[in-house]
Amino acid sequence: LGNRYKLDIDYKEMVSEAVEYGTKICVGILDVDSFKAANDTYGHVTGDEYIRTISECIIKIVAPIGGAYRYGGDEIVV
């Protein structure tokens, strides 16, 4: 996943391209349920693996059409 800084850079480029070519952009924010509970119960290493596994699934889905970025602890922007 990209981070918030990468999102800021890519977002500006995506908007510029959309304006130039007259295309549309779709943005979604995903909030991973129960992440804090898993992180607190099983530790940060497990929490990181939890996010990594979810991120890999999201990346496979959106890679052909866009990007995915970790916006916060358990928020992912696509």
Side-chain angles (χ1 to χ4, degrees):
L1 290 180
N3 58 21
R4 288 176 85 157
Y5 177 73
K6 178 74 170 139
L7 172 61
D8 189 46
I9 292 168
D10 289 355
Y11 173 75
K12 290 174 185 172
E13 184 178 315
M14 286 184 258
V15 169
S16 293
E17 287 179 8
V19 169
E20 181 179 347
Y21 298 110
T23 58
K24 296 180 181 180
I25 298 173
C26 179
V27 177
I29 300 176
L30 308 171
D31 185 77
V32 180
D33 286 340
S34 304
F35 173 71
K36 182 170 175 14
N39 206 31
D40 291 346
T41 302
Y42 303 110
H44 294 287
V45 172
T46 301
D48 288 347
E49 289 192 24
Y50 187 56
I51 289 291
R52 190 176 298 112
T53 301
I54 292 167
S55 300
E56 288 170 358
C57 293
I58 292 169
I59 289 168
K60 285 179 185 177
I61 294 167
V62 302
I65 57 171
Y69 308 86
R70 189 166 181 187
Y71 192 73
D74 64 346
E75 293 106 16
I76 299 171
V77 174
V78 294

